[in-house]
Amino acid sequence: MTAVVTRKALHDLNEIRGGIVCIMATKGASGEDKGCFFLFGSGLPGLGHNISIERAEFPAGNKQKNDHLKYIPSEPKKIVTFASVYIGEISMSATIKCIGVLTSGGDAPGMNAAIRAITRAAIYNGIAVKSIYRGYKGLITNEIESFKTQNVSNIIQRGGTILKTARCEEFRTPEGRKRAYDTLCKEEIDALVVIGGDGSLTGARLLAQEYNYPIVGLPGTIDNDLYGTDVTIGYDTALNTVMECVDKIRDTASSHERLFFIEVMGRDAGFLALNGAIASGAEAAIIPEISMEKDQLAEMIENGFRKSKNSSIVLVAESEITGGAIGVAERVKKEYPQFEVRVSILGHLQRGGSPSAQDRILATRMGVAAIDALLDDQRNVMIGIQNEEIVHVPFAKAIKNDKPINRDLLNTLRIVSM
């Protein structure tokens, strides 16, 4: 027999946890199976801790029947009595018939390559794909479409995300996540793949914890600020964009003998600013990781900044800690009026454009790895890459831990900018 069990039924039964898989089947008026569900627990062979399963097949030769079994939940409100219970073994991978995929937060080059890889890897493994438009907002409002291989044709070279993305304040609330979960149940989506940055993965973690739901995340952000992965999807393309823009600005900076402060994205992470400065030959980078330790601007000026050059370029990470390029420039005008200062904010230029070869390859590897992770009973992890090897990073580590800056790169920049 095949028993179909809804996650909502499990949740409504106080998230029952047992040591065996149990299926209850009652007969309907026309003889069909109905009212099926099972108990689950960490003691099952091949299952992770607190795994819940939606669909299961129990071969006739591998089941036992126990009549009138009574089971009391860990914090019971009542005793649950079953007329017939079938006992068997199951792995989570056999239950995934359909996955959902969404992109959330800021877009990043390579997201489409990831969507393509996830879709085709799932279909290759016999799993249906439902794509969710506009991130968590679309999950709440049920903006969902079934995807086939042709839906992801000719998108690997495109920037942005074909699934769109949106901020969703409602999803930050328990009520909003409940609506999102109800949509997943209604659409019979067994697992979710989320592509985004730390905010997106924070939302994924909350949804997974509250409803014991399997989610795998992909690090899609140009900031490269997620712990546990050497690089994130979109970072390489954005870094090349920064380099190309600074090269052009340098032409006009040298013509007018000016000091340019160029603001790049990164929020509270200085990876784009630091590596962009090295790649473009800039004189310095002002980043939040070091601003908390010392006055980078004062150090730069006092060390004889610009003595041997007719123009200078400094990259500044956008951050309240650094003050951004405008804040730094205003301070220079007041404290060092001998410098002619200009500011350029690259802004959303950094998010656009066709993804680089590296980002396409990275996104494709991670997309396939996300499906492999779900088939291997992995859940609530981010797919990362370390030393060119795919790794699984728990959401808690990826989100809560700060990714350290490479201090050797700071010294490298000082040496080559003299």
Side-chain angles (χ1 to χ4, degrees), residues 280-323:
S280 62
E283 280 63 45
I286 297 179
I287 59 176
E289 291 90 341
I290 307 302
S291 290
M292 292 184 290
E293 301 174 7
K294 58 187 174 183
D295 188 337
Q296 292 180 86
L297 180 61
E299 182 189 49
M300 200 167 56
I301 301 294
E302 290 165 7
N303 287 343
F305 173 68
R306 203 189 176 205
K307 276 183 179 178
S308 61
K309 300 188 178 184
N310 61 6
S311 67
S312 296
I313 291 178
V314 177
L315 267 61
V316 184
E318 59 168 4
S319 169
E320 291 183 4
I321 298 171
T322 64

Side-chain angles (χ1 to χ4, degrees), residues 53-199:
I53 305 168
E54 186 164 345
R55 290 182 177 83
E57 291 190 2
F58 289 80
N62 275 341
K63 66 184 181 184
Q64 294 174 281
K65 183 176 178 181
N66 291 298
D67 291 331
H68 309 297
L69 175 70
K70 291 183 179 181
Y71 181 82
I72 303 176
S74 56
E75 296 180 4
K77 295 181 180 178
K78 61 181 179 180
I79 295 177
V80 183
T81 303
F82 303 115
S84 300
V85 176
Y86 294 90
I87 302 173
E89 294 182 1
I90 186 170
S91 68
M92 178 182 161
S93 59
T95 74
I96 297 179
K97 305 298 182 186
C98 176
I99 63 130
V101 57
L102 63 83
T103 53
S104 175
D107 60 298
M111 281 185 166
N112 285 326
I115 295 165
R116 173 180 178 268
I118 292 163
T119 301
R120 293 191 170 180
I123 292 171
Y124 177 85
N125 284 283
I127 301 171
V129 179
K130 290 189 176 181
S131 290
I132 300 150
Y133 289 90
R134 295 174 181 83
Y136 293 121
K137 181 179 180 181
L139 192 54
I140 290 173
T141 58
N142 200 357
E143 296 181 63
I144 298 174
E145 178 185 355
S146 294
F147 262 31
K148 305 296 182 185
T149 55
Q150 57 266 33
N151 291 102
V152 293
S153 295
N154 199 34
I155 67 169
I156 193 171
Q157 78 282 7
R158 293 171 58 182
T161 164
I162 63 168
L163 296 182
K164 313 298 182 186
T165 183
R167 308 289 181 183
C168 184
E169 291 300 320
E170 185 177 358
F171 190 78
R172 296 176 182 268
T173 67
E175 296 77 15
R177 292 191 293 274
K178 176 64 165 58
R179 287 187 63 190
Y181 174 72
D182 288 343
T183 300
L184 290 168
C185 294
K186 178 183 177 182
E187 294 292 328
E188 298 184 336
I189 297 172
D190 303 315
L192 188 63
V193 180
V194 174
I195 311 168
D198 61 346

